[in-house]
Amino acid sequence: MAEAAGAGVDVNTAGNQTEVAMAYLQDEKTDGDMANLNLGELDLTTDEFILDEVDIHIQANLEDDLVKEALRTGVDLRQYSKQVEAELQRIEQASIKDYIKESQNIALLHNQITACDSILERMEGMLSGFQSDLSSISSEIQTLQQQSVSMNVRLKNRQAVRSHLSQLVDELVVPGAMISTILDSPVTEQEFLEQLHELNNKINFAKELSFRETLACSDIQDIVDRLKLKAVSKIREFILQKIYSFRKPMTNYQIPQNTLLKYRFFYQFLLANERTVAKEIRDEYVDTMSKIYYSYFKSYSGRLLKVQYEEVADKDDLMGVEDTAKKGFFSKPSLKSRNTIFTLGQRGAILTPAELEGPILVPHTAQRGDSRYPYETLFRSQHYALLDNGCREYLFLSDFFMVTGNSALDLFNSIMGKTLSMFLKSMSTYVSDCYDSIAIFLCIHIIFRFRAITAKRNIPALDKYWEAVLELLWPRFELILEMNINSIRNTDPQKLGVLDTRPHYITRRYAEFSSAIVSINQTFPNERTNTLLGQLQVEVENFVLKMAAEFPSRRDQLIFLINNYDMMLSVLMERAADDSKEVESFQQLLLARTQEFIEEILSPPFGGMIAFVKEAEALMEKGQLDRLKNDEARITQLVRGFSSTWKQSVESMSQDVMRSFTNFKNGTSIIQGALTQLIQYYHGFHKVLNQPTFRSLAVRSELINLHHLMVEVKKHKPNF
């Protein structure tokens, strides 16, 4: 290699040249071999000899870069090949000399490799020994693991047995502390309650063991039974004492009830272990509380009736009864704190939440203050007391006696049934002779609200009672309402005294009554009520028409109708909703009669002009206006008559209207409507005279300017 370097030969170039030479020699050899082929074996006509392959081979060699360079420079490839071969031989000789020069190092490397082989052989022997040792250790570990698993299983089995035996022994053993506490401690102490729980657990456990025929159970059965009898005896005595304390006069039974709830487990213990005693206590409680509630509510109801209004409505206090001929309810309007039967007043406040769930009345306090109340107030107080006590009692029964569903309802009825029957009986007696329909209707809605309260509290105990009360009240309310309807239907207008265009007292009664019922019914709408009110309204409308027919003139009839419709509408709109059927009906009636009255009052002073305008407009529609062409004298009279008298006529009409109607606001509205209608008629008069048929009339110049007329009319508009 040194020589090659000294000779200035580029090894890389020589290598590349060598590759070219070797490729060339190979091609030469291939060509020589092909030349030495037996020409007899070469069949140029056969399909196996494909010249295309030779072309591809030659083309591939020609694409080599060195071959391209040699061909381009015209080098003799044979000479060049020999030169390359000689250079390769020189390079080979140089390499051999280098190997000989490094022979000592190579021998040293050989010795070192041999020494390493010896060391690795010894290490292999050591590792083989370690592998053998590890195999024996692994088998020992597996043996230890199996022994450990076996010991763990035995340990768990022993622990399980110990746990069951320990629990069994603990449940079977009756501690001395339990015995002393059950025998000596008062039942109200917390320690007694705790030991009673433990005793109950031991009793249940002993029962379970007896079913399994466990022999150890017989060892403790006797002492457990004796402790049970002692506990039952002490609990029975304690609960009966609490129940008997209810019977003491002036006792607040809710206090001992709350005490019993603290010890509700006592009854649970009795129910589980001594059902006979549990039944005795339950029966004693039912009997005691039934008598207490009956006595309390009977006394309370009787005392409430003493603070009711002394004067109440009777069968003659009906809507259609004449005011002058009656002696009694309507003949004493000045009575202080008197309950009226057609006016709601402040009675509706009892349905507000503050009044509905307010404190109950205390009768003796009311008597000392000489206070008197309507029936619905007494009814509310009585039934709120029932609701409050009933809900509390139902919850106590469900909690202490551990009953639910129908069982709880049956137990509640066994206690409160007598009281509820007494309520229904006394109510039936009172309602059968009651003619105060507003009081009955208020009572119905009180029941609606109380029923909603019990439903919200999820207390179903009083549901059947509420239904029974409504079955008493609804028929009576309907009967009273039908009596009032019949009284109006059978009213004779000629027996009602002097005719007057002002609102009639019967229509005022209806307005007050209807607004009262509608305002109450809005919160809990009821179709039965709406039907009855519809019948009553029909009869009142017929009554008003019958009364109006008694007036000789249509003008007075209209004034009477408008005054009555307006009064009824005002009262209804004050208390009822604006969209109620009653309000809508009377609004339509009032509007129709008002429009007719406006035509009636415009007719005397302006009737000629109005008739002419209506006649002319009818002929204009038919195209026959020329038929009035010869009425020049009539038109002249109308124009000059209106111009000279309209101010006095409007003034007189305004004064007359304001005198005729009791409601100034209504009178003002009627005057405004009349003046508006007058302007419309005069505008129509202008329109007719502007037609070609009348344009030549000289009197047209005397027409009042329409704008000027409107300005003047506004001066006569009343202000209130």
Side-chain angles (χ1 to χ4, degrees), residues 256-272:
Q257 270 187 340
N258 293 334
T259 303
L260 287 176
L261 285 177
K262 290 171 58 179
Y263 302 102
R264 60 175 64 86
F265 180 71
F266 287 173
Y267 184 78
Q268 182 179 347
F269 181 83
L270 294 178
L271 195 63

Side-chain angles (χ1 to χ4, degrees), residues 543-597:
F543 165 77
V544 172
L545 293 175
K546 286 194 297 183
M547 286 297 300
E550 296 294 316
F551 291 92
S553 67
R554 183 57 181 168
R555 180 179 176 280
D556 290 340
Q557 291 177 2
L558 291 172
I559 293 174
F560 177 80
L561 291 173
I562 292 173
N563 276 330
N564 280 275
Y565 290 153
D566 178 65
M567 181 273 297
M568 290 188 285
L569 185 60
S570 299
V571 175
L572 283 168
M573 292 183 67
E574 181 181 353
R575 297 186 177 92
D578 292 343
D579 59 349
S580 65
K581 292 188 297 183
E582 290 80 7
V583 170
E584 292 178 358
S585 175
F586 284 116
Q587 282 178 336
Q588 294 174 1
L589 290 172
L590 178 61
L591 181 63
R593 298 289 79 78
T594 300
Q595 193 62 37
E596 184 181 352
F597 179 75

Side-chain angles (χ1 to χ4, degrees), residues 328-342:
F329 202 88
F330 289 101
S331 62
K332 298 180 180 180
S334 61
L335 281 178
K336 184 180 179 181
S337 301
R338 180 175 63 84
N339 177 24
T340 59
I341 59 174
F342 297 118

Side-chain angles (χ1 to χ4, degrees), residues 165-397:
L165 288 175
S166 176
Q167 182 180 358
L168 178 64
V169 171
D170 290 342
E171 294 291 346
L172 287 174
V173 171
V174 181
M178 176 185 291
I179 297 173
S180 61
T181 300
I182 296 296
L183 294 178
D184 302 328
S185 297
V187 296
T188 55
E189 291 187 2
Q190 182 64 25
E191 186 179 0
F192 179 86
L193 186 60
E194 293 174 356
Q195 293 299 331
L196 187 66
H197 277 89
E198 290 296 326
L199 177 61
N200 189 57
N201 292 335
K202 291 187 181 298
I203 292 172
N204 293 333
F205 189 70
K207 290 179 181 178
E208 183 180 349
L209 291 180
S210 65
F211 291 135
R212 300 178 184 175
E213 299 181 356
T214 305
L215 297 178
C217 178
S218 58
D219 295 339
I220 64 163
Q221 191 66 50
D222 182 59
I223 189 169
V224 169
D225 288 342
R226 283 188 287 173
L227 285 176
K228 181 181 72 173
L229 291 176
K230 181 64 176 177
V232 168
S233 176
K234 294 177 72 173
I235 291 172
R236 174 183 177 275
E237 182 180 358
F238 170 75
I239 296 179
L240 287 178
Q241 284 179 353
K242 290 297 179 185
I243 293 174
Y244 293 152
S245 67
F246 296 170
R247 302 175 180 178
K248 296 179 182 179
M250 307 301 293
T251 298
N252 184 357
Y253 61 87
Q254 296 175 9
I255 296 176
Q257 270 187 340
N258 293 334
T259 303
L260 287 176
L261 285 177
K262 290 171 58 179
Y263 302 102
R264 60 175 64 86
F265 180 71
F266 287 173
Y267 184 78
Q268 182 179 347
F269 181 83
L270 294 178
L271 195 63
N273 300 289
E274 198 63 51
R275 287 185 172 271
T276 304
V277 177
K279 184 177 184 303
E280 177 191 2
I281 288 176
R282 177 169 164 170
D283 293 343
E284 193 65 35
Y285 178 85
V286 168
D287 182 65
T288 299
M289 292 308 297
S290 177
K291 292 178 180 177
I292 289 174
Y293 280 126
Y294 180 79
S295 175
Y296 166 73
F297 279 108
K298 183 178 181 181
S299 173
Y300 183 67
S301 300
R303 283 180 287 152
L304 278 179
L305 292 177
K306 294 180 181 179
V307 296
Q308 185 183 2
Y309 283 133
E310 294 179 358
E311 293 190 21
V312 294
D314 57 31
K315 62 182 179 179
D316 294 325
D317 292 319
L318 300 174
M319 201 175 295
V321 174
E322 56 272 20
D323 208 7
T324 56
K326 182 177 179 301
K327 179 182 179 181
F329 202 88
F330 289 101
S331 62
K332 298 180 180 180
S334 61
L335 281 178
K336 184 180 179 181
S337 301
R338 180 175 63 84
N339 177 24
T340 59
I341 59 174
F342 297 118
T343 304
L344 183 62
Q346 297 300 316
R347 298 169 70 182
I350 199 169
L351 297 178
T352 60
E355 291 284 339
L356 192 69
E357 301 182 51
I360 63 173
L361 291 178
V362 181
H364 62 271
T365 303
Q367 283 180 307
R368 283 201 301 266
D370 197 24
S371 299
R372 292 293 182 267
Y373 301 94
Y375 177 72
E376 66 270 10
T377 301
L378 311 182
F379 181 89
R380 196 281 317 176
S381 183
Q382 181 187 43
H383 282 81
Y384 188 68
L386 174 65
L387 181 148
D388 195 37
N389 285 276
C391 289
R392 185 181 291 108
E393 186 63 30
Y394 181 81
L395 293 174
F396 174 82
L397 295 175

